[in-house]
Amino acid sequence: MNGVTITKVFEINGKLVVADSLDQAIDTYRLWAPDVLITEISQKYAGQYDKLYNALIAEPEILSCNFKGWDLTHITFTGVDDETDFNRLVSIQQRYPKVEFGVLVSRKWVENGKRYLSPFKTKELRGLGLRLSAHLCGSIARDVLRMGGFSNTGDFSEIIDMFSRVQLNVSNYDEPENMSPYILPGPLQEIIIQQAFNHNTFMLCRIASGDCISILLDGSGGNGIDTPINMPIYLQNVHVGFAGGISPDNVVAKVQEITSLPHVNRFWIDMESGVRTNDRFDLDKVEQVCELVYENFLIERA
């Protein structure tokens, strides 16, 4: 299991906790449930690693000593388009520093519709001080995945320095047999692998090392489909994103659901259809989401 060293499992008040010692298990449980009195403690599966492993797979709500408390790193709004007011983007970014704006990138951007910012308009984002991510779609994403770098991405290689993160929208794409580690050109800090319903999440174990690879769990693919919140324990040490039907109407409930997961640490949320009106990027909805998230979960502002 990536990021999980299985040593001992304890059961505290009916909750399974992975830890190195009883004291560590108790500390972990108290971090998760600080106001609950501990009345029952026992060790489980001592020496029975096959049963222990099966229990971890079957129990999505297991606690781990790697749990440090959640950290919402980005509120990502994807689909900035040609009619978006860039000055207003700057204003939103200044008031809500956790915001990130996602730009969809494809070799077929004309055919793919309004959600794709034209290459000419994309260049106008340079120097505005925005927190930007590029979301690569279609053949350009598959080329990066196969080649382990950005040398064969054509015009995109000329603007990659504008983005701190790049997302590969590969969803159900099976990785090639031979795959090289990614080469991250500065100031690129992170590669995001978009996956539907946990498909190929183990890909991150085979394509790179270190903290540069993240996973976006997205069963919607930008279609606004409400996706159940779920995160396997083997991703607990990975920077994980959640997408699928998030909008101003449900963002508070969605974030509450995410932060209630016992093994979520660093995470972000991403929305596309939920912040569009008549298939245009709706900055009123963007601001509404920002206000709701900051008011309910984030105290500090710029």
Side-chain angles (χ1 to χ4, degrees), residues 20 78 86 121 131 140 157 187 191-192 213 216 219 226 228 238 250 255 257 262 281 287 294:
D20 295 325
T78 300
F86 290 177
K121 293 287 288 186
R131 202 181 192 198
I140 190 170
S157 61
I191 294 286
I192 304 166
I213 301 295
L216 177 72
D226 194 351
V238 178
N250 64 10
V255 176
E257 202 173 344
F281 199 55
E287 292 201 58
Y294 268 78

Side-chain angles (χ1 to χ4, degrees), residues 235-249:
L235 292 180
Q236 65 177 332
N237 288 336
V238 178
H239 192 198
V240 176
F242 296 86
I246 302 176
S247 71
D249 295 332

Side-chain angles (χ1 to χ4, degrees), residues 138-150:
S139 63
I140 190 170
R142 293 191 293 272
D143 285 349
V144 172
L145 192 63
R146 184 177 66 253
M147 300 178 64
F150 298 88

